[in-house]
């Protein structure tokens, strides 16, 4: 039986304090948003709060970066300065993981993201994140890879160097100590 994706009342209270403090410290990411509305949404969605906790535990430093009026959803991105430490050294997906015969990584990012209840940033979302600050100056982050590239064995990742966001490719079965993924969660 699957475990409940819910955190305790004490954990919720502590997480909401962390999120509020981060929200107030980084107003440039969400100038027109109201914390009390965001907090209300989080409190009414325990499974989403659990996913945010998973982002936090793994080093993502989740923060609100946008609001979609059409769907009435807030977007949380991993906003850690470098790619989240708790998700590094994973290859791209299960197929890539299963193809490795030696030096096998512990997991793959698609499986981990699904287990956390988040999605991996697309290239467009990654570039948007970079307008809010400077991220991945020493590390890199896997991004959603188009089906056509993945079918040929590749996967995409991004970083920021020389004040420019770069998109690169690698074999999907590769993994590096300085590469993880950044998640997005809609609440």
């Amino acid at each position: 039986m699957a475990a409940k994706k819910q955190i305790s009342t004490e954990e919720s209270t502590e997480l909401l304090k962390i999120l509020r403090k981060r929200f107030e410290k980084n107003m440039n990411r969400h100038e027109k948003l109201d914390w009390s509305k965001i907090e209300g949404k989080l409190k009414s969605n325990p499974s989403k709060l659990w996913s945010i906790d998973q982002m936090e535990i793994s080093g993502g430093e989740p923060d609100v970066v946008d609001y979609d009026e059409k769907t009435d959803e807030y977007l949380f991105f991993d906003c850690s300065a470098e790619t989240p430490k708790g998700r590094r050294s994973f290859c791209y997906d299960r197929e890539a993981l299963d193809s490795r015969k030696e030096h096998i990584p512990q997991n793959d990012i698609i499986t981990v993201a699904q287990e956390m209840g988040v999605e991996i940033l697309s290239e467009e979302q990654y570039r948007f994140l970079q307008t809010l600050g400077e991220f991945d100056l020493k590390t890199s982050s896997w991004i959603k890879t188009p089906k056509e590239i993945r079918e040929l064995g590749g996967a995409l990742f991004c970083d920021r160097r020389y004040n420019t966001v770069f998109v690169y490719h690698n074999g999907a079965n590769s993994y590096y100590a300085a590469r993880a993924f950044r998640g997005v969660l809609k609440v």
Side-chain angles (χ1 to χ4, degrees):
M1 181 167 34
K4 277 189 174 180
K5 294 188 174 185
Q6 194 168 330
I7 58 177
S8 71
T9 303
E10 296 81 19
E11 291 169 323
S12 293
T13 300
E14 186 58 32
L15 179 58
L16 289 168
K17 284 180 187 175
I18 291 167
L19 294 173
R20 181 181 187 135
K21 185 177 180 181
R22 185 173 296 134
F23 180 88
E24 291 170 350
K25 182 179 177 184
N26 298 287
M27 289 306 293
N28 65 303
R29 296 178 187 160
H30 36 248
E31 292 174 354
K32 298 178 183 175
L33 301 182
D34 177 359
W35 173 253
S36 62
K37 291 179 182 178
I38 298 163
E39 184 175 27
K41 278 273 221 175
L42 288 169
K43 286 180 175 179
S44 67
N45 288 285
S47 66
K48 300 283 187 170
L49 195 56
W50 178 87
S51 292
I52 297 241
D53 191 49
Q54 295 301 297
M55 294 168 81
E56 183 69 25
I57 290 168
S58 59
E61 300 179 21
D63 197 6
V64 182
V65 298
D66 205 1
Y67 174 70
D68 186 336
E69 289 184 29
K70 292 178 187 174
T71 62
D72 187 32
E73 292 176 313
Y74 294 96
L75 291 179
F76 282 81
F77 282 9
D78 284 309
C79 293
S80 54
E82 301 299 338
T83 198
K85 288 183 181 180
R87 302 181 225 152
R88 294 182 188 177
S89 298
F90 297 160
C91 62
Y92 188 75
D93 59 16
R94 185 58 53 178
E95 180 184 346
L97 182 64
D98 291 344
S99 75
R100 290 199 64 106
K101 303 298 181 220
E102 56 184 32
H103 309 293
I104 301 169
Q106 291 182 341
N107 216 331
D108 67 272
I109 65 156
I110 299 296
T111 299
V112 171
Q114 289 172 346
E115 289 171 352
M116 292 172 62
V118 302
E119 293 182 30
I120 296 162
L121 292 184
S122 65
E123 179 181 347
E124 179 183 10
Q125 290 169 326
Y126 188 89
R127 288 183 182 281
F128 172 69
L129 174 67
Q130 292 287 356
T131 68
L132 304 175
E134 294 184 350
F135 303 92
D136 288 335
L137 298 177
K138 298 176 187 172
T139 57
S140 61
S141 296
W142 290 109
I143 59 170
K144 281 185 187 175
T145 297
K147 181 180 173 187
E148 301 78 22
I149 294 172
R150 183 60 199 97
E151 286 176 348
L152 294 171
L156 300 178
F157 67 96
C158 293
D159 63 25
R160 183 184 190 119
R161 304 291 191 273
Y162 310 107
N163 203 28
T164 303
V165 176
F166 290 95
V167 178
Y168 307 92
H169 61 89
N170 225 163
N173 66 352
S174 64
Y175 64 98
Y176 299 91
R179 184 175 308 148
F181 74 91
R182 292 178 180 277
V184 56
L185 181 70
K186 297 174 183 178
V187 180

